[in-house]
Amino acid sequence: MTRGEVRVNRRQWWAWAIVALAVAAAVAPLVHTWLTNPDDQRLVDLDVYRTGGQMLLEGRPVYAAYTPAPQLLPFTYPPVAAMLAVVLAVMSWETAQWVWTAGIYVTLAVTVWFSFRQVLTGEAVRRYAPWVFGLLMVACAYLMPIRDQVRFGQVDILLVALCVADCLARRPWWPRGFLIGLATAVKLTPGVFLIYLLVTRQWRTFWMAAFVTAVLTLLPFAVIPQDAADFWFSALLDPERLGANAATTNQSMRGMLIRLYMNETVESAIWLVLVAVVGWFGFRGARDAHRAGDPLAAVALVGLMAVLLSPVAWIHHLAWIVVVLGAIVGDGRDPVRLRVAGGVWLYYVVPVPWWGVALIAAGIPGVSLVLGKIVQNGFGLGALVLVWLLVSWLPKRRELA
């Protein structure tokens, strides 16, 4: 290494340190807002996780417990998640809040790095990578699905980071598939990546992911058998445990259909047809992207499948938008892709679904109800558009490049 290269590397280390401080300062208003909320409104999902761990420590049934009023939220995750949550339960509530919030931004950083690696490691940007990374971190931190990670103390961005790292790391030091298996065991919905691994014939990775999922699913039957039975044969079968399925925050396809207040049988039939059609289109697109040498677009599509095909997908589940933005940006050399990414970013920064609620409440004859319902479903409909964008539009832009 030459003296000049050493000098550049030293400048890079200083730059990364300054960027870390700048990002911390930029997200400080978000952290301050949510960590100074009234105690019974603060990081309510983190409270759910800690409650699950606390029940295990006290030898009480995990799935019979609820967080304190007024939230009264039950533990809704697989039993292995409760076992992992024991680590949170042994911390004080204040410590857990800070540790978890810091973890959200660390895993966001991992997701941003893998999602925008083509830009950050490109010749034109490499020298300025720390500064560009900092800008991307702040931009992604203010996306509504990421803001909600901090607001509720959610786990989604951690699961996104696990799946993204497993699929996109060039030389992982862990057995590839291990992290997908861990994420699937903790929250089921990352199981869509098992389908992706099957359709792309990544057999070794698939079997590792399936093995880890199976081990972590069966382990609680040996350690906490009653809780394991309670989850798989009772709690899992009750979708209302997740919250009001018709609520605006449920932006899955089923959530959008529920808000139309159709006959339940008709609604279920339409939903199953949509799951089949969108699933076929999305997984086929992911397979084609993988074959075309664009695994990032493939991962983004599978992430959107996790949101759209799930019976319940809250706004914070759309943390996959970070990966979608990275897939659209690509190597950053196509100005059209950059403009589209900017539009997608802005769309998911503003609270579109809540504008729909306001429109419905306005009660303007002939306008409020129809337009309000469309806008209320804005993030879910936007996710459907993004699926089309990644499957049909993005390959054409790659060919033009």
Side-chain angles (χ1 to χ4, degrees):
M1 181 179 291
T2 66
R3 187 174 300 176
E5 288 174 327
V6 171
R7 194 176 297 117
V8 169
N9 285 339
R10 285 176 179 171
R11 283 203 297 267
Q12 286 270 313
W13 279 110
W14 277 107
W16 283 111
I18 294 169
V19 165
L21 292 173
V23 170
V27 302
L30 295 176
V31 175
H32 180 267
T33 296
W34 300 123
L35 267 67
T36 57
N37 241 5
D39 193 57
D40 60 5
Q41 302 291 321
R42 192 185 314 153
L43 279 65
V44 294
D45 288 324
L46 176 60
D47 197 15
V48 170
Y49 310 151
R50 289 184 75 249
T51 299
Q54 190 66 45
M55 293 303 101
L56 287 186
L57 289 176
E58 296 176 2
R60 295 162 59 191
V62 171
Y63 298 97
Y66 289 81
T67 58
Q71 299 299 335
L72 297 173
L73 298 174
F75 191 84
T76 59
Y77 297 85
V80 73
M83 293 169 63
L84 294 172
V86 168
V87 176
L88 295 170
V90 298
M91 300 179 189
S92 69
W93 176 224
E94 290 74 18
T95 301
Q97 291 174 63
W98 282 105
V99 168
W100 194 260
T101 302
I104 287 172
Y105 288 113
V106 169
T107 50
L108 175 61
V110 171
T111 305
V112 168
W113 173 261
F114 280 110
S115 300
F116 294 92
R117 183 170 57 189
Q118 290 182 70
V119 172
L120 295 168
T121 59
E123 282 292 331
V125 173
R126 189 181 303 159
R127 187 176 179 182
Y128 309 101
W131 314 106
V132 176
F133 178 83
L135 289 172
L136 291 169
M137 268 292 292
V138 174
C140 291
Y142 276 84
L143 290 163
M144 190 172 180
I146 303 301
R147 298 201 307 269
D148 276 3
Q149 302 294 312
V150 183
R151 177 184 179 184
F152 297 110
Q154 256 293 335
V155 72
D156 299 286
I157 192 62
L158 168 61
L159 303 179
V160 171
L162 290 174
C163 295
V164 167
D166 217 354
C167 291
L168 301 179
R170 288 170 180 157
R171 289 182 296 274
W173 50 264
W174 60 89
R176 199 183 293 276
F178 178 86
L179 300 184
I180 289 173
L182 173 60
T184 302
V186 167
K187 199 179 175 179
L188 299 186
T189 50
V192 292
F193 278 89
L194 296 175
I195 301 173
Y196 166 66
L197 295 173
L198 276 175
V199 300
T200 54
R201 299 185 177 182
Q202 299 180 61
W203 301 116
R204 181 177 296 181
T205 305
F206 168 78
W207 288 116
M208 174 55 68
F211 173 74
V212 173
T213 302
V215 168
L216 294 180
T217 298
L218 294 174
L219 178 63
F221 281 99
V223 181
I224 45 172
Q226 186 57 57
D227 289 315
D230 288 345
F231 175 76
W232 290 104
F233 304 117
S234 179
L236 180 63
L237 306 178
D238 180 11
E240 294 302 321
R241 283 181 64 91
L242 299 173
N245 289 193
T248 300
T249 49
N250 183 8
Q251 291 288 312
S252 70
M253 291 190 297
R254 178 171 171 269
M256 292 187 277
L257 288 172
I258 289 173
R259 287 190 287 274
L260 296 178
Y261 300 107
M262 296 182 291
N263 175 275
E264 188 174 342
T265 303
V266 174
E267 169 210 300
S268 297
I270 295 173
W271 177 58
L272 290 173
V273 170
L274 286 174
V275 165
V277 172
V278 173
W280 173 81
F281 188 72
F283 285 115
R284 188 198 65 171
R287 181 202 62 190
D288 292 346
H290 176 78
R291 289 177 177 176
D294 191 354
L296 179 61
V299 171
L301 274 165
V302 179
L304 290 174
M305 293 299 100
V307 174
L308 290 168
L309 305 185
S310 174
V312 178
W314 310 123
I315 288 173
H316 50 72
H317 292 172
L318 279 158
W320 288 102
I321 293 300
V322 175
V323 189
V324 173
L325 288 171
I328 296 172
V329 167
D331 60 13
R333 293 185 295 177
D334 184 344
V336 175
R337 289 171 67 169
L338 291 176
R339 287 195 290 269
V340 170
V344 173
W345 173 82
L346 181 60
Y347 186 79
Y348 281 94
V349 164
V350 296
V352 173
W354 302 110
W355 292 350
V357 174
L359 271 172
I360 294 171
I364 304 171
V367 175
S368 286
L369 188 58
V370 175
L371 182 59
K373 285 290 182 186
I374 294 172
V375 179
Q376 186 185 23
N377 296 329
F379 279 0
L381 294 173
L384 287 170
V385 172
L386 290 174
V387 171
W388 170 83
L389 201 74
L390 294 174
V391 173
S392 300
W393 176 83
L394 189 57
K396 295 176 183 176
R397 295 307 307 177
R398 283 200 302 263
E399 290 175 8
L400 289 174

